Amino acid sequence: MMAKTSYGVTVAYRRSLKRGTGLLGYLLQEWLFFLTLAMLLIKSIVLMGFVNSSNQSLIDMSRGLKNITYMPICVAFLLIIAAFSLLARNRGRLWVLLILNFLCSFLFAFDAVYIRASGNFLSTQLLRQTGNLNNLWDSIFAMFRPCDIVFGFDIPIIAVLLIVTRNLVEYSSPLFTNLKARLIAFFTIILISVGYITASHIAIDVYGSSKNDYIFYTHWNPAQTIRNTSPMGYHVYDCYVFFSDFKPYNISDKDRADIQSWIDKKNEKLPPDSYKGIYKGKNLLILQVESLENFVIGKSVDGQEITPSLNKLLSNGIYFDNYYAQINEGTSSDADLMTNTSVFPVRKGSTFFRFPYTRYNSMPAIMEKHGYSTKAIHPDNGEYWNWMEALKNIGFQQCIDSKSFSMDEVIFLGLSDGSFLRQVKDTVIKQKAPFYNFMVTLSSHSPFEMPQRHQKLKLEGALAESRLGGYFQSINYTDGCIGTFIDELDKSGVLDNTVLAVYGDHDSVHKYFNDEIQNIKPSQDWWLDNDKRIPLIIYSKGQQAQTIHTTGGQIDLMPTLLYMLGIDESEYENTVFGRNLMNTREDYVLLSNGEFRGNMAESRKAEILQGLEYADMAIRSDYFKNK
């Protein structure tokens, strides 16, 4: 009979485990390699469960499995990551595996945050935008959810296990001690994984028939790209796309012809109507309001108007109540771009960071030809989203940033809306007519934690403590600042000959905190759904109030305003991707993720969707430089 330890384990059996002999001993020594693979696969599935989910704050494993188009591709990329642990020797291999697990988990956790914020995973392009993070950390941390702990819960547990079992097993396997064996194993795993990925790429991407099923392809819908490549594969492909930017991007004559054909086919060529030239000769002032969603317009909470100043504009304004945000990864800077160029942003990263020197047949350039002076005025630093460099090249004669203002009150991202609009008032009033000024506000940015001194609404219960309540307070503050600014312009007489266009840069509280909004009790129906709608109000003193129900978006503002300012369509219709909302038979908008709103025949959707890809090609190739 064999001798036994006090734990009932034979001495011989324990020695076998310590020496690592036999299959069981080998598996015991490789426990962390297989566990790391399993955990990273589980985390990939969890992350994919957030993709295209109506609630990106709940773990849905079944949705995650459905959202990985090619599971073997996903495993192959994870094997490549784990294989690098074979380059370390002895127990160091285990700690390398733990570090690799931690780094991937950290990446996945921030992917989860970023997909809630932008509908995409983190991009290498963001390395060009690190300066944007200076004042955004509160907004970033507000996007984490309790479920995100799943991406890191195993890390401390494994670390403790490595410490506790450090004397239990002698790691005598050649894969721990022998350099040659480790290198053979490393290159074997790499070659098999890369070979499988390459073979799949050739079979599916090269000889496949549908771009929806491509592995490596920047789809118009970011979620589709992520599903096809898998989380880790997406980041590898993203790096490839990033470095390909450093090479000149050329398009063929056929591509150029296709782009122009798409733009020309979009033009409806309708006869002029009564809106043409109604603002001819007037100044134009555009005010892009941070995070302004449409659902607050005309609404009250606990008997208090949320946007009394904007509501007042409606009495002499044209109000577009089906106007949508079309921004992509450039967020607010994409709104700057589309408003002034009527061109969709690039498919990956920020257009202003990637292609700040691209030329356009822009609104400021066209208005300059008609005698207008043009200014872009921001209360933040010119390097933020690289907006100053980009807007200069878009065609503004002058760009003014925070360096030109006294920073006497800072809220979140920069100068407070109250201080900004108070200081910029004299610039607008003293400017020689005709002028075009493009301005933005900042204070109503997430996480919607307005200083107490600026909270004017009296809210009660759960609403008062919620992000939605904070949003109401933030928008109400900005609305009050806008009202004071407009009153000052009116007193000076500038408003008598000025058209004011006010709109939101993007949706926000529903985009970032929709899960919290749905859980507020008691709730009201009007605040539960916004669906990417932002308000557009075109105000002119003495104008008859009107509501336009036509569905449109941010690329439509430029042709709409130029039409109403009396500038002939021939000056811009062959370069804009948008349409004139005052003279159209169409009733649709194409969002940046490829979704449609409004009325669009199924038979035309594929054709219209090409606009996203054509705009990307046009920006990257500087297509408009000679237009």
Side-chain angles (χ1 to χ4, degrees), residues 455-613:
Q455 294 185 24
K456 305 302 182 184
L457 297 175
K458 293 179 173 58
L459 306 179
E460 298 179 355
L463 180 61
E465 304 300 323
S466 68
R467 296 283 181 188
L468 181 61
Y471 177 75
F472 289 156
Q473 296 284 12
S474 299
I475 290 297
N476 178 258
Y477 163 74
T478 295
D479 176 86
C481 298
I482 293 172
T484 301
F485 174 67
I486 292 173
D487 287 344
E488 292 294 326
L489 296 186
D490 194 14
K491 291 176 185 177
S492 72
V494 170
L495 213 57
D496 294 340
N497 193 42
T498 298
V499 177
L500 173 64
V502 183
Y503 65 91
D505 59 352
H506 52 74
D507 56 326
S508 190
V509 68
H510 283 91
K511 178 179 181 180
Y512 303 139
F513 305 111
N514 192 51
D515 55 322
E516 296 184 22
I517 294 174
Q518 304 301 318
N519 292 326
I520 297 174
K521 304 297 181 186
S523 67
Q524 297 189 36
D525 291 342
W526 61 267
W527 75 40
L528 293 178
D529 181 31
N530 188 68
D531 191 31
K532 301 185 184 299
R533 285 194 301 160
I534 53 177
L536 169 61
I537 303 170
I538 301 178
Y539 170 86
S540 182
K541 194 172 179 181
Q543 180 176 250
Q544 185 175 355
Q546 186 178 1
T547 298
I548 303 293
H549 301 299
T550 302
T551 306
Q554 288 162 313
I555 62 167
D556 301 320
L557 184 55
M558 173 180 160
T560 300
L561 286 174
L562 291 179
Y563 178 80
M564 299 172 82
L565 286 164
I567 296 174
D568 194 84
E569 293 97 316
S570 62
E571 296 189 40
Y572 56 84
E573 65 181 359
N574 67 334
T575 60
V576 296
F577 280 70
R579 68 188 196 281
N580 170 17
L581 296 179
M582 303 308 297
N583 189 18
T584 179
R585 292 195 183 104
E586 302 281 11
D587 183 35
Y588 75 91
V589 66
L590 172 60
L591 305 183
S592 64
N593 63 358
E595 295 179 1
F596 286 88
R597 298 291 185 272
N599 301 295
M600 168 56 62
E602 287 293 330
S603 59
R604 294 187 58 205
K605 284 186 177 181
E607 172 193 341
I608 300 300
L609 273 171
Q610 287 292 321
L612 297 176
E613 185 172 351

Side-chain angles (χ1 to χ4, degrees), residues 26 115 124:
Y26 169 76
I115 200 167
T124 318

Side-chain angles (χ1 to χ4, degrees), residues 189-258:
I189 293 175
I190 295 295
L191 287 173
I192 291 174
S193 299
V194 172
Y196 178 79
I197 294 170
T198 303
S200 299
H201 165 64
I202 293 172
I204 297 171
D205 297 354
V206 178
Y207 295 105
S209 59
S210 171
K211 288 182 178 180
N212 286 332
D213 296 329
Y214 278 12
I215 301 173
F216 301 113
Y217 174 75
T218 303
H219 200 272
W220 49 261
N221 183 356
Q224 186 67 49
T225 306
I226 295 167
R227 283 196 295 267
N228 292 354
T229 54
S230 80
M232 193 54 63
Y234 174 84
H235 288 292
V236 173
Y237 176 59
D238 176 66
C239 289
Y240 164 78
V241 173
F242 175 78
F243 287 109
S244 69
D245 267 0
F246 294 100
K247 298 184 296 183
Y249 180 77
N250 298 311
I251 59 175
S252 66
D253 291 340
K254 180 182 182 302
D255 290 332
R256 292 182 180 278
D258 288 343

Side-chain angles (χ1 to χ4, degrees), residues 142-205:
M143 296 305 301
F144 280 98
R145 297 292 186 268
C147 62
D148 294 339
I149 195 173
V150 72
F151 295 110
F153 82 96
D154 60 314
I155 305 296
I157 297 174
I158 292 174
V160 170
L161 285 174
L162 286 178
I163 295 172
V164 170
T165 63
R166 63 186 182 277
N167 295 321
L168 178 62
V169 180
E170 294 177 4
Y171 290 91
S172 57
S173 165
L175 294 182
F176 281 89
T177 61
N178 186 284
L179 176 60
K180 182 178 179 180
R182 287 187 284 115
L183 289 177
I184 291 174
F186 170 75
F187 284 112
T188 299
I189 293 175
I190 295 295
L191 287 173
I192 291 174
S193 299
V194 172
Y196 178 79
I197 294 170
T198 303
S200 299
H201 165 64
I202 293 172
I204 297 171
D205 297 354

Side-chain angles (χ1 to χ4, degrees), residues 422-439:
R422 183 180 67 250
Q423 293 185 60
V424 82
K425 163 179 60 74
D426 290 337
T427 299
V428 177
I429 291 173
K430 295 176 182 178
Q431 191 167 353
K432 183 181 177 180
F435 63 77
Y436 165 36
N437 288 345
F438 174 75
M439 300 165 50

Side-chain angles (χ1 to χ4, degrees), residues 40 43-44 47 78 81 99-115 120-124 126 144 151-152 230-236 238-239:
L40 291 180
K43 293 172 187 179
S44 297
L47 183 57
L78 296 179
I81 297 296
I99 292 170
L100 291 172
N101 188 352
F102 170 78
L103 293 176
C104 291
S105 300
F106 183 83
L107 177 63
F108 287 174
F110 274 90
D111 277 339
V113 169
Y114 199 66
I115 200 167
N120 207 342
F121 281 4
L122 288 173
S123 169
T124 318
L126 294 175
F144 280 98
F151 295 110
S230 80
M232 193 54 63
Y234 174 84
H235 288 292
V236 173
D238 176 66
C239 289

